[in-house]
Every structure is written in C-alpha cells, then in structure tokens.
Amino acid sequence: MKRHFDDIQLGSIELFCLAAEAGSFSAAALEAGVTPAAVSRSISRLEERLAVRLFVRTTRSIRLTEAGRAYFEQCRQALAQLIEAEREAMGKQSQAAGTLRLSVPTTYGHHRILPLLPLFRASHPDVKVDIHLSNRNIDFVSEGYDMAIRVRALPDSGLIARHLEDAALVVVATKSYLAAKGTPVTLDDLALHDCIQFELPSSGRRIPWLFQDQGKELEILAQGGYCLSEDVLGGVTLAKNGAGLFQTYKFVVEKELQSGELVQVLTPYQGRSRPFTLLYPHNRHIPLRLRAFIDFLMEYRALWATQ
C-alpha cells in the first residue's frame, strides 16, 4: 500500500477535528497542548493540500464551511476507527473509554439520565461524560455529539433512532391554587384557569396540551398569565408555588404527587403521552463507549415503561 499521509498531515487532521468539535482554535490548542498559532498553521496547511476552505474565520469565531462539515464527518469517523483499531490491537477492545458527549432535554436529563450516570461510570470508569442539557436540536457533525435524546425522532436519514419510552402526561396544581380558583372538572373549565404554557425554542410555538375524551384525541391551546421558554421545568416550579395549572410528564412530578405537594386534575381525560427517542449517527463503527451507554439505557427502558 502506498503511503498517503505523513505524520504532520495526520496531526493536522486531528487538530482540525479538535477545532471543529470545540468551535475554537484556542480550545483545540488547549486540548492538544500546543499554541493557537500552531493549530491555525496546521489547518492552513490542510486547506492548502485540499485546495478548499474548511473554516470561515472572523476575529471572534470560526465555523465550518459546507465542505468543512462534510470533511469533518468523514475524518471524525476515520479517527474513531483508528482509535478502536488501536485498542483492539492492544487487547483493550472490551473496555469502554474516552469522552461520551450527550445532548438531553432538561426534563429527561434531571429525572432520567443524570441520576443514572454514577451507576454507568461505576461500571465504565474510563468513560468521561460531557452532558448538554437543553431543549434545542443539536447538530451532530458541527457540535461533535455522540448521542441525543429528543421527544421525537428527527427527519434525518443519517441518524439511528431507538425508542426509550412513551411518557405519560398529567395536569397538576397545588391544593391552595385549587381552593382559590376551583378544581377543573371538564376541559371547558380550562378557560377559567391560569394555564402555564411552554414555548418551543426551535419554532416559538406554544405546545398544546394533550387529552383524550371517550377515545378521541384532543389538543388544546390553553391560556394563562405565564409562558416559559428554554427550561420546561420552570413550569413545575411555578405550579408548585401556586401559579396555576401545568401539564407535564408524570415522571417529573411523581414525588410531588405522592407527597401531596401537587394534585393531579382532569384525570378522566388523561391517557396521552409523548415519545422519547435516543438518536445517534449512522456510523459503520460505533465507539465502544457509545455502544456501552446505549446498552445501559436499554436495560432501564422496561423499568420506565412500568412507571
């Protein structure tokens, strides 16, 4: 086989991937233990070799060009395969290691994933976890994530989707709020109440409340004096402090319902849910750390389905 890369060229590819993942030459330099100028020179040599611009540079930031994004995805997969090949050659294929980058919604992060991470790392101590809690959709390529969990699968043929659970929805409020404003008995009663709303960060659209009535599925755009964005858990905090009614996932308020801090209302109209889905890129070689974490979550899927 003819030699295609020298050591400098391979090093430049690694620095390019670090810069693409970090979104900064300085951050890549810190990770690699070199100077930002060295990173810049390496990437310039790479661009000259390829005869294409990989980054759009400004005085404050860098971002991948379209060609750079495509090149990064290929290089990232190739480097991951090299790392796996090296581990296998060294007899460490059975041990997961490296940094696992996850993007998880705030509700699912706080109530499902974060409590499990110490258990996962107890079994895989060589895996470091970098977790991003947000309700916005991420870009796997430009932001360098291994896995994301979202309320629904994205229309992207490059992603593998694994169903985690259908999370039941409930409407809750405090006893003090219901004593002051009355307990809603029918869906028409929602018009008489403060219904705390959440606005999707991706579209700016308010999420409708989901109900079913005699087998018919309904969506209601309830109204009220509060509307949140970004952190849906803020709605739970408002409800716990008597601000009004809030529809949320049952697993989020399970403890408050058991203690009586919150009360469930409109139970005849419950039964609706939203699906949570695990997403990851369709790579030929899945990093062992990601495979281990997916298997770990699948073990808990049956437990969540019974809650």
Side-chain angles (χ1 to χ4, degrees), residues 6-259:
D6 60 30
D7 293 343
I8 293 177
Q9 288 164 352
L10 284 173
S12 294
I13 291 172
E14 281 194 300
L15 290 175
F16 160 71
C17 287
L18 285 174
E21 290 175 351
S24 163
F25 286 175
S26 297
L30 186 63
E31 177 72 18
V34 298
T35 66
V39 174
S40 180
R41 285 194 300 270
S42 290
I43 292 172
S44 293
R45 284 195 298 268
L46 199 54
E47 289 177 323
E48 184 177 350
R49 170 184 168 83
L50 298 172
V52 66
R53 289 184 68 189
L54 299 173
F55 288 105
V56 175
R57 300 166 173 82
T58 68
T59 55
R60 297 191 176 199
S61 65
I62 61 170
R63 63 179 176 84
L64 287 166
T65 63
E66 185 176 348
R69 286 164 62 89
Y71 187 62
F72 169 60
E73 177 62 19
Q74 295 293 326
C75 289
R76 185 167 175 260
Q77 292 183 35
L79 289 173
Q81 290 176 34
L82 285 172
I83 292 170
E84 291 297 318
E86 187 176 72
R87 286 191 185 131
E88 186 173 5
M90 296 171 65
K92 296 182 180 179
Q93 181 63 18
S94 62
Q95 184 173 343
T99 299
L100 182 68
R101 299 199 71 217
L102 313 175
S103 178
V104 184
T106 52
T107 49
Y108 217 75
H110 283 287
H111 292 272
R112 288 298 201 223
I113 303 302
L114 293 180
L116 295 180
L117 289 182
L119 295 175
F120 174 73
R121 293 204 66 242
S123 300
H124 304 281
D126 293 329
V127 177
K128 296 179 180 179
V129 182
D130 182 349
I131 187 163
H132 172 258
L133 290 172
S134 174
N135 297 300
R136 72 171 179 84
N137 293 329
I138 55 94
D139 186 309
F140 280 94
V141 176
S142 65
E143 299 181 62
Y145 285 98
D146 296 298
M147 190 198 82
I149 293 174
R150 288 293 174 261
V151 177
R152 57 186 61 83
L154 302 178
D156 186 334
S157 59
L159 297 177
I160 295 175
R162 301 281 298 273
H163 181 70
L164 288 174
E165 67 176 301
D166 292 309
L169 292 163
V170 293
V171 178
V172 297
T174 59
K175 292 179 181 177
S176 61
Y177 171 84
L178 297 175
K181 298 294 182 72
T183 299
V185 176
T186 70
L187 298 182
D188 290 337
D189 292 341
L190 289 174
L192 306 175
H193 286 268
D194 263 322
C195 299
I196 303 164
Q197 297 295 297
F198 180 72
E199 188 177 272
L200 284 170
S202 58
S203 65
R205 182 176 64 89
R206 294 189 179 187
I207 296 180
W209 289 15
L210 305 183
F211 299 98
Q212 65 176 8
D213 185 10
Q214 299 179 354
K216 183 179 179 181
E217 294 187 344
L218 303 173
E219 294 187 4
I220 294 179
L221 287 172
Q223 302 297 318
Y226 302 94
C227 183
L228 296 137
S229 60
E230 297 296 340
D231 188 358
V232 69
L233 289 176
V236 178
T237 301
L238 281 170
K240 287 164 63 174
N241 285 275
L245 305 176
F246 188 55
Q247 186 175 69
T248 186
Y249 302 110
K250 187 176 181 180
F251 70 75
V252 171
V253 292
E254 196 72 58
K255 292 180 180 179
E256 289 81 359
L257 290 173
Q258 291 176 359
S259 69

